[in-house]
Amino acid sequence: RATHGLLREGGELYFADIYADRRVPAALRGDEVLRGECLAGALYWNDFVDLAMACGFADPRLVEDRPVTVDDPALAARTGNIRFFSATWRLWK
């Protein structure tokens, strides 16, 4: 909400991060290796849209996204079917 308050009416914000196609289970969120790989804290992107709108941003738009591959077999086994993406969103006040 603080960022929303800093923008003038009609102002925009670009927000880039790692997102997941589903909620990351609590057991994985505490995994130090996955945290270091920026995967443990990945937000489910539908939750991001809901949070952005709850903070007052209208009509969040996905600008670009690309898959983030998990190449390490041990990490891939831990994350299972979760797919990760690097994505940039555009938000307006």
Side-chain angles (χ1 to χ4, degrees):
R1 290 187 190 250
T3 303
H4 183 269
L6 294 174
L7 293 175
R8 293 181 185 180
E9 204 59 43
E12 62 186 76
L13 170 74
Y14 285 81
F15 194 90
D17 206 350
I18 301 293
Y19 299 89
D21 69 340
R22 64 197 73 197
R23 290 182 183 96
V24 176
L28 295 180
R29 288 195 308 262
D31 186 296
E32 291 182 14
V33 175
L34 291 175
R35 182 160 300 281
E37 295 293 327
C38 299
L39 302 177
L43 188 61
Y44 174 44
W45 60 11
N46 288 339
D47 286 346
F48 174 78
V49 170
D50 292 343
L51 287 168
M53 293 178 74
C55 289
F57 290 103
D59 193 24
R61 301 271 177 104
L62 183 62
V63 176
E64 66 179 329
D65 69 295
R66 64 175 179 75
V68 173
T69 58
V70 180
D71 297 325
D72 181 306
L75 294 181
R78 280 190 244 171
T79 58
N81 292 329
I82 301 172
R83 294 184 317 157
F84 297 95
F85 300 86
S86 173
T88 302
W89 292 86
R90 186 176 180 190
L91 308 170
W92 289 272
K93 181 173 182 177

